[in-house]
Amino acid sequence: MDTVQIALPLPVLPEGWAGEKDFKAIGSLSQATDRNIEPVGPHFLAHARRKRHKRTFSEDDRIQAQANVKKVEDDDAGEISEPEDPLLLQREAKDWKTQDHYAVLGLSRYRYKATEDQIKRAHRKKVLKHHPDKKAAAGQAQDDQFFKCIQKAAEVLLDPVKRRQFDSVDEAADVEPPTKKESQKGNFYKLWGKVFESEARFSNKQPVPKLGNENSTKAEVEEFYNFWYNFDSWRTFEYLDEDVPDDNENRDQKRHVERKNQNARRKKKTEDTARLRKLVDDCLSLDVRIKKFQQEERAQKNKRRTEKEAEQKRLAEEAAKKKEEEARIQAEKEAAEKAAKADSKKAKEAAKNAAKKNKRVVRAAVKEANYFHGAGDAPAAQIDSALNDVDLIITKLDNEELATLTGKLNGKTDAGEITTIFQEEVKRLLGAGKLKDGEAKSLS
Amino acid sequence: MSAQQNPAQRVAIGISFGNSYSSIAFTSGEGRAEVIANEDGDRQIPSILSYVSGEELHGTQAKAQLVRNPRNTVAYFRDFLGQEFKSIDPSPCHQSAHPVPQESTVAFNIRDTPEEKENTVTISEITTRHLKRLRNSASDYLGKSVNSAVITVPTNFSDAQKEALNKAAKEAGIEVLQFINEPVAAVLAYDARPDAKLADKIVVVADLGGTRSDIAVIASRGGIYTLLATHHDYEVSGFQLDQVLIDYFAKEFMKKNKSAGDPRENERALAKLKLESEAVKKALSIGTSAAFSVESLLNGIDFTATINRSRYELLAIKQIAAFTRLVAHAVEKAQLDPLDVSEIIVAGGNAHTPKVASALSAAFPETTKVIAPSTSPTAINPSELAVRGAAIQASLIQEFELEDIEQSTHPMVTVTPHLSHAVGVLCISGEESHGIFHPIVDAETPLPVRRSAIIATPKEGGDVLIKLAEGARHIKVTKPEPKPKEEKEKDEDDSDEDEDESEEEIREKTWKVGKILSEAALRGLQKGAKVEVQVNIGADLSVNAIFREVGGKGGVRGILQGQKGVNGSA
Ligand SMILES: Nc1ncnc2c1ncn2[C@@H]1O[C@H](COP(=O)(O)OP(=O)(O)O)[C@@H](O)[C@H]1O
């Protein structure tokens, strides 16, 4: 054998790779398959020489060696066998158009599902059994009618075009849709599933979505109905054509029949499309999943709506509460302000009153001090200037100073003492710059 | 006749014994297989016997009797041998002697003696007579008495059928050295050519014979062959291709002779139609047109017509497509992809029909070589593939004692574990960061096996890592970008098929890395060095690998344990 040449490079050894003697065993080979090699050619001879070692093998060895060998040849005894209907055996080949080709070959159970291989095997089985020579050998009458039926069946079923034409009108493969009552008895998916499985045979698009069951999702169910409402069918109806006269004599007649056939095919196709549409309509109308999805959706919607409403209510309530609270705070504030205002007015009044009282005390003290005149009645001028000065002082004093002054003067009757108090007050006011030099002369 | 020959006195030939035709061949001193022509000059000798006034006619002469003497002519009988009457299909004998049951076997009622008395002649006897004629032709040609042979049989020939053939051959004075499978003989015929190169490949032998089709998918590994799958079909056949022409010429005849009736409904006319149609079919394999000519086809009317090849190909399109499907189906049965198939050897007489080969070329990828006369100038005559293989095998084993041959073909020798996955190394490629698998030993290689590979290294040399792994073949399918619909200028009703074709998906054979088996390091490689990896896999699945730098010293050796209890005697 030639050495294999590999142009792609090997990878660089990764940093830190280590193995004992630079080799690491990691896995082992997968299980091998036992097969017979062909005892042919020079290379086999070399193999045999090596493998035999001049040993002699027995019959037992043969059985043992072959125990696990992978088989290459198919078993001829096919799985296909169904009892032959005596009526079928009496069919005549000329009526081939109405014969059930699958039944003739013993493939009733398989029908459109039969593979090409199955049909061939079934055909061969029938040929082996029904060939006229077999009948002759069995001393039966030379009747090759059923054999011809077999040949016709194979001719149709092994020709992809003819087979489709037959499958198109193979009523035995049809599954009748269940009635409303049957559908509602709880077998909806099983019964309708079969119907669509059978209809699916006409689909150009494969695979065809299945009906599914109560656990199918909304998307799956929608895909199913969409597929079936847009069904792309290869079903044709030429198998039901009226025979076209085969001679060239009667051309008009021929053309007439052909046109008639064309029209009939078209009509049947239209009818079939309508039939399927109704079928899908019926199934859809009985499909509880649709209602379920609608209900679920409505419930969803309702739920969403109540949630929304609740939220709105909550928000409104919150807003109202907030407003109330604000109002309350506002009211309180106003009340407080009012109260505060009221308080200060009283205080002011009190202060005013106090000031009035104090002024009165102060003025009374002036009189007590004999208008700072000393002994004897004070002349009017003295009285005037003393009162004026004291009034001036009072105007320069705030309520507190006035109160302080009043406090000092309270209960004092000694003119000198009172005069001193006033003089000191004038001095203090002068010092604070509230009185100017020359003012309140009577007390300086 | 002595049952067993002394190997020294053997004169061995190869025989292919078909339902329609048989051939004989021998291998010359220089090891070249040569097909022998019989006294009629035929290398494809019809497997037909006919009796006229007690005289036995054989081959082409007997075939001619299908018209005048059909009930005394025995044809298409090979498949009946070793079978019970209930399991045979008498259809091919429709226009010759019909088979009848005879005890547990099959026979023909024919007048085969000068007395013209009807005798029941068993299938075994018929076979013996046929083989005797073949043996005589070979002996005449070689100038010495042929006494042994390797005979080819279909892969589904049962032990009972082989046993019956062995017995019939013995009666004919032929010691059967070995029965070999027809498709394997065909592969051997190619591999035995002096310029043939030994390579690991998947070969499909697609045999379109006279009464059946036989497909075999064969793994060819270092000159050892393993059948991976076979498929047989009794509908798709040369008969069907003949029938296409029979129908065509019958209709042509009826068009020209309106009142003469359908020649297919007259036994004799049908026989003539059939013989001539087969001749026309053969002529169309070489010529682009052929003439049909039958004297007195029906009611004394002579009929001549011509047909050209393309007309014929159109008429036979369904049959040829059916054959192509069978081949694809067999590949599927072997769990392979068309991309796995390196070669299709088109065999059987109908392989001469150019359309049979071109339809296969069209259905398989470009990487699959279709070998037939019309596709390959060096193709071996497809009618002779089996007999050449048989003659080569005969020359290989004729010196052995029969007992020795039997022991060497015993299941203890032939049953062999085959690798379930390819074994190879991981390399680096431009785009992919991790390893790309490259096989060294293919899947379905019988064990033990030794293979070696020379592998490139990084430009700078240095240290490399060699990972051995199993690989699984993977078909990568890419859909081409949907082309923007081209503006159709005119020709609104241009066929849509062209469009479909242009959007065909692209399929490629790639590998997926499977189980990692081992890692090895080779250090300090020279710049531009190459690495040799030698893999030895034992029947017990043990792996013994040697890694070394080409031209360098030393190297690394690694061993993976196999399974215990597996027959690793080899
Ligand atoms: N040159 C040819 N061109 C086309 N068909 C041929 C040619 N030669 C033989 N055949 C056809 O090949 C078939 C016989 O092939 P063969 O391999 O000998 O079959 P069998 O295995 O049945 O003996 C017949 O159908 C015959 O017509």
Side-chain angles (χ1 to χ4, degrees):
Chain A
M1 277 298 299
D2 277 353
T3 303
V4 180
Q5 299 288 339
I6 304 176
L8 293 174
L10 288 165
V12 173
L13 191 67
E15 200 89 24
W17 186 96
E20 192 187 331
K21 291 190 174 160
D22 274 349
F23 181 82
K24 272 201 280 196
I26 295 173
S28 56
L29 285 170
S30 303
Q31 192 67 44
T33 317
D34 271 355
R35 295 183 184 276
N36 264 307
I37 58 174
E38 294 291 302
V40 168
H43 297 275
F44 172 78
L45 283 189
H47 165 90
R49 215 175 297 126
R50 283 193 305 266
K51 196 157 177 186
R52 246 189 89 197
H53 286 310
K54 298 204 167 67
R55 282 179 294 171
T56 305
F57 304 113
S58 68
E59 203 48 37
D60 282 351
D61 292 335
R62 172 189 304 272
I63 294 161
Q64 210 203 321
Q66 281 173 322
N68 295 316
V69 170
K70 183 114 173 178
K71 263 180 50 184
V72 172
E73 294 296 333
D74 301 327
D75 280 332
D76 236 7
E79 70 285 17
I80 309 140
S81 66
E82 69 188 28
E84 287 172 336
D85 178 357
L87 279 176
L88 198 66
L89 296 177
Q90 283 163 26
R91 284 198 69 94
E92 298 213 8
K94 69 171 169 45
D95 300 329
W96 67 271
K97 270 256 163 168
T98 58
Q99 92 183 7
D100 177 346
H101 301 305
Y102 291 110
V104 167
L105 295 187
L107 291 168
S108 301
R109 276 180 298 142
Y110 296 89
R111 315 210 75 87
Y112 63 93
K113 288 182 193 140
T115 63
E116 188 177 11
D117 205 33
Q118 265 178 325
I119 295 167
K120 283 185 165 172
R121 285 154 171 271
H123 176 224
R124 187 159 172 79
K125 257 186 133 176
K126 293 289 174 191
V127 167
L128 294 190
K129 188 167 173 197
H130 292 284
H131 193 280
D133 288 355
K134 301 280 173 104
K135 298 244 160 116
Q140 285 167 7
Q142 276 279 16
D143 171 13
D144 60 355
Q145 280 305 313
F146 187 64
F147 182 68
K148 284 187 175 152
C149 293
I150 293 169
Q151 299 304 74
K152 200 69 209 182
E155 184 195 315
V156 171
L157 297 184
L158 286 173
D159 180 318
V161 175
K162 289 185 189 162
R163 186 176 178 194
R164 275 204 163 178
Q165 292 173 358
F166 175 69
D167 281 344
S168 283
V169 298
D170 181 11
E171 284 174 7
D174 287 346
V175 176
E176 278 302 308
T179 62
K180 195 168 167 182
K181 236 200 208 136
E182 286 165 335
S183 303
Q184 288 166 337
K185 268 197 197 138
N187 267 337
F188 176 83
Y189 302 107
K190 208 173 136 203
L191 294 174
W192 281 98
K194 278 192 197 146
V195 174
F196 283 102
E197 219 171 273
S198 137
E199 292 291 336
R201 69 192 193 271
F202 302 123
S203 179
N204 274 321
K205 279 185 227 130
Q206 297 285 351
V208 174
K210 295 244 162 51
L211 175 61
N213 55 34
E214 61 275 8
N215 297 322
S216 304
T217 64
K218 187 169 175 237
E220 282 164 349
V221 174
E222 270 170 3
E223 195 213 335
F224 173 82
Y225 283 107
N226 275 341
F227 184 94
W228 282 96
Y229 276 122
N230 296 301
F231 195 71
D232 178 9
S233 162
W234 51 255
R235 197 172 192 184
T236 58
F237 292 92
E238 52 260 76
Y239 199 84
L240 305 176
D241 277 358
E242 208 173 287
D243 285 341
V244 178
D246 201 16
D247 58 328
N248 294 333
E249 308 289 298
N250 210 333
R251 285 176 146 245
D252 286 345
Q253 170 70 6
K254 191 175 161 183
R255 215 167 291 149
H256 173 71
V257 177
E258 275 171 356
R259 201 169 314 122
K260 218 166 112 187
N261 281 337
Q262 286 293 347
N263 287 337
R265 282 185 210 171
R266 209 171 302 128
K267 184 157 168 264
K268 289 194 184 97
K269 179 83 184 169
T270 313
E271 283 167 2
D272 186 54
T273 310
R275 177 195 64 83
L276 183 67
R277 200 175 175 88
K278 172 157 187 318
L279 192 85
V280 183
D281 280 344
D282 288 349
C283 181
L284 181 70
S285 72
L286 291 166
D287 194 335
V288 291
R289 292 174 302 185
I290 305 297
K291 223 172 274 161
K292 191 182 84 179
F293 292 138
Q294 278 171 355
Q295 272 166 2
E296 278 172 5
E297 206 158 282
R298 208 172 301 135
Q300 256 304 304
K301 227 157 122 192
N302 282 345
K303 200 175 141 209
R304 252 181 316 206
R305 188 177 336 116
T306 16
E307 270 171 12
K308 204 168 144 195
E309 281 171 1
E311 176 70 4
Q312 271 169 351
K313 200 171 149 203
R314 193 181 63 78
L315 285 177
E317 278 169 1
E318 217 163 69
K321 229 181 186 168
K322 204 172 150 198
K323 217 165 142 193
E324 220 169 75
E325 179 75 5
E326 275 168 5
R328 190 181 61 76
I329 289 169
Q330 181 66 26
E332 262 170 27
K333 199 171 137 195
E334 273 167 25
E337 268 167 21
K338 217 161 124 192
K341 234 188 207 154
D343 278 357
S344 73
K345 206 168 147 191
K346 243 192 234 160
K348 257 189 221 155
E349 231 151 79
K352 227 159 113 190
N353 287 342
K356 247 188 225 166
K357 220 164 123 194
N358 288 343
K359 283 180 197 160
R360 236 180 299 150
V361 173
V362 172
R363 285 191 190 105
V366 177
K367 194 178 167 196
E368 201 72 48
N370 197 26
Y371 308 102
F372 316 125
H373 185 67
D377 283 347
Q382 178 65 21
I383 291 170
D384 264 358
S385 81
L387 285 177
N388 280 341
D389 284 350
V390 169
D391 276 351
L392 181 72
I393 290 168
I394 286 172
T395 57
K396 300 289 173 191
L397 293 177
D398 61 21
N399 287 340
E400 233 160 287
E401 287 164 331
L402 184 63
T404 311
L405 181 63
T406 311
K408 285 179 188 165
L409 294 173
N410 241 349
K412 296 284 190 284
T413 50
D414 181 67
E417 230 178 317
I418 291 170
T419 307
T420 312
I421 289 170
F422 275 107
Q423 283 168 337
E424 273 170 12
E425 189 64 19
V426 169
K427 221 183 262 168
R428 189 186 66 82
L429 285 171
L430 279 171
K434 286 191 183 170
L435 282 178
K436 289 178 196 128
D437 273 343
E439 280 179 328
K441 255 187 274 156
S442 59
L443 287 166
S444 16
Chain B
M1 242 160 272
S2 74
Q4 207 149 316
Q5 300 289 337
N6 174 349
Q9 276 145 32
R10 273 201 196 118
V11 178
I13 58 167
I15 298 177
S16 87
F17 171 26
N19 281 305
S20 323
Y21 294 90
S22 296
S23 293
I24 42 183
F26 78 107
T27 302
S28 66
E30 302 94 67
R32 273 177 46 95
E34 219 172 283
V35 182
I36 300 169
N38 71 357
E39 48 282 13
D40 295 329
D42 291 326
R43 290 190 171 79
Q44 277 73 55
I45 304 161
S47 304
I48 302 180
L49 291 164
S50 184
Y51 297 88
V52 179
S53 316
E55 192 200 342
E56 183 183 84
L57 301 178
H58 182 238
T60 303
Q61 291 185 37
K63 192 169 185 175
Q65 293 296 318
L66 285 171
V67 175
R68 247 168 296 154
N69 189 20
R71 297 290 159 247
N72 256 348
T73 303
V74 184
Y76 308 109
F77 56 84
R78 196 240 2 231
D79 281 355
F80 300 163
L81 191 63
Q83 300 245 57
E84 286 180 68
F85 184 72
K86 74 168 172 36
S87 0
I88 64 156
D89 175 8
S91 307
C93 298
H94 188 56
Q95 293 173 80
S96 56
H98 289 206
V100 293
Q102 160 78 12
E103 287 164 13
S104 66
T105 162
V106 179
F108 297 91
N109 292 323
I110 47 173
R111 281 186 268 273
D112 62 336
T113 54
E115 295 83 55
E116 294 277 318
K117 188 171 84 54
E118 193 170 88
N119 289 316
T120 301
V121 185
T122 63
I123 179 69
S124 177
E125 173 63 20
I126 292 289
T127 305
T128 296
R129 291 180 190 178
H130 171 59
L131 291 177
K132 239 185 219 164
R133 298 295 296 256
L134 294 178
R135 174 180 170 236
N136 287 343
S137 297
S139 297
D140 286 351
Y141 182 89
L142 294 173
K144 45 192 172 181
S145 178
V146 167
N147 52 25
S148 55
V150 167
I151 304 182
T152 59
V153 292
T155 58
N156 65 345
F157 230 45
S158 68
D159 287 345
Q161 286 172 293
K162 285 181 203 167
E163 190 42 50
L165 181 51
N166 194 28
K167 213 171 130 256
K170 202 173 273 178
E171 291 293 319
I174 299 168
E175 175 193 43
V176 178
L177 301 179
Q178 192 186 355
F179 290 114
I180 65 172
N181 285 324
E182 287 166 355
V184 180
V187 178
L188 181 62
Y190 273 103
D191 279 355
R193 293 206 291 195
D195 56 342
K197 269 222 176 126
L198 215 51
D200 289 348
K201 57 193 172 184
I202 298 288
V203 184
V204 174
V205 179
D207 181 345
L208 182 49
T211 59
R212 52 188 278 182
S213 295
D214 297 281
I215 320 294
V217 181
I218 300 169
S220 171
R221 304 286 185 242
I224 296 202
Y225 313 115
T226 306
L227 284 174
L228 298 181
T230 62
H231 192 64
H232 311 281
D233 194 285
Y234 306 89
E235 313 272 349
V236 181
S237 62
F239 266 31
Q240 267 198 346
L241 295 176
D242 299 343
Q243 190 63 44
V244 161
L245 290 169
I246 291 171
D247 291 339
Y248 174 74
F249 288 118
K251 282 181 191 154
E252 288 295 299
F253 175 81
M254 288 188 288
K255 253 191 233 164
K256 294 224 174 86
N257 305 279
K258 292 232 163 80
S259 52
D262 190 339
R264 289 168 295 184
E265 277 160 20
N266 176 296
E267 210 178 311
R268 196 171 230 215
L270 179 60
K272 285 183 179 174
L273 258 177
K274 186 164 165 56
L275 279 183
E276 186 65 3
S277 292
E278 192 190 350
V280 166
K281 178 181 76 174
K282 288 185 185 179
L284 287 173
S285 293
I286 310 166
T288 53
S289 77
F292 175 99
S293 172
V294 173
E295 273 177 38
S296 177
L297 179 55
L298 189 65
N299 303 340
I301 305 168
D302 296 346
F303 181 60
T304 55
T306 56
I307 183 168
N308 62 31
R309 191 193 280 169
S310 43
R311 183 63 181 266
Y312 164 56
E313 288 174 348
L314 206 61
L315 292 170
I317 199 159
K318 273 186 191 167
Q319 285 73 11
I320 290 170
F323 182 65
T324 305
R325 277 205 301 282
L326 292 181
V327 180
H329 182 58
V331 172
E332 228 170 79
K333 263 172 129 176
Q335 293 174 323
L336 294 175
D337 187 90
L339 283 166
D340 292 317
V341 179
S342 316
E343 286 173 10
I344 301 176
I345 297 174
V346 198
N350 294 290
H352 288 283
T353 299
K355 191 72 188 176
V356 169
S358 64
L360 284 169
S361 297
F364 276 78
E366 268 170 42
T367 47
T368 304
K369 202 164 114 201
V370 175
I371 308 175
S374 60
T375 54
S376 162
T378 57
I380 298 172
N381 181 344
S383 299
E384 298 179 349
L385 285 168
V387 77
R388 284 176 182 275
I392 292 156
Q393 181 68 5
S395 75
L396 289 173
I397 61 171
Q398 62 185 348
E399 288 128 44
F400 295 103
E401 298 283 351
L402 211 53
E403 172 69 16
D404 217 10
I405 298 171
E406 266 163 29
Q407 284 290 320
S408 294
T409 58
H410 191 282
M412 285 295 280
V413 176
T414 61
V415 174
T416 311
H418 285 60
L419 274 187
S420 54
H421 292 96
V423 173
V425 288
L426 298 192
C427 302
I428 294 293
S429 94
E431 326 97 65
E432 306 204 21
S433 53
H434 51 271
I436 276 208
F437 178 85
H438 199 297
I440 296 175
V441 193
D442 276 320
E444 301 300 0
T445 298
L447 304 177
V449 65
R450 165 189 298 182
R451 290 283 186 278
S452 48
I454 305 276
I455 314 163
T457 61
K459 274 201 261 340
E460 323 74 45
D463 302 347
V464 294
L465 175 69
I466 307 160
K467 276 194 188 186
L468 281 186
E470 285 188 331
R473 196 269 288 121
H474 173 70
I475 301 296
K476 193 171 130 200
V477 182
T478 29
K479 288 215 165 83
E481 295 284 302
K483 278 191 203 149
K485 278 233 160 116
E486 274 170 53
E487 294 277 322
K488 274 193 196 164
E489 284 159 31
K490 32 189 162 163
D491 283 348
E492 275 288 314
D493 46 6
D494 239 0
S495 78
D496 285 347
E497 278 155 57
D498 301 335
E499 262 177 55
D500 288 348
E501 257 172 74
S502 65
E503 290 199 13
E504 229 175 281
E505 55 194 19
I506 301 161
R507 310 179 79 254
E508 291 165 276
K509 185 169 161 174
T510 60
W511 292 93
K512 276 198 171 152
V513 182
K515 250 197 233 175
I516 302 292
L517 302 173
S518 69
E519 290 180 356
L522 277 183
R523 298 176 195 271
L525 298 179
Q526 305 267 327
K527 247 188 186 180
K530 295 212 182 257
V531 166
E532 183 185 358
V533 175
Q534 200 187 86
V535 183
N536 297 276
I537 306 175
D540 62 349
L541 293 176
S542 63
V543 180
N544 190 333
I546 300 166
F547 312 90
R548 55 178 204 90
E549 180 178 352
V550 175
K553 267 184 260 156
V556 173
R557 173 186 282 266
I559 291 177
L560 296 178
Q561 291 301 324
Q563 294 171 326
K564 291 198 185 92
V566 171
N567 168 19
S569 59

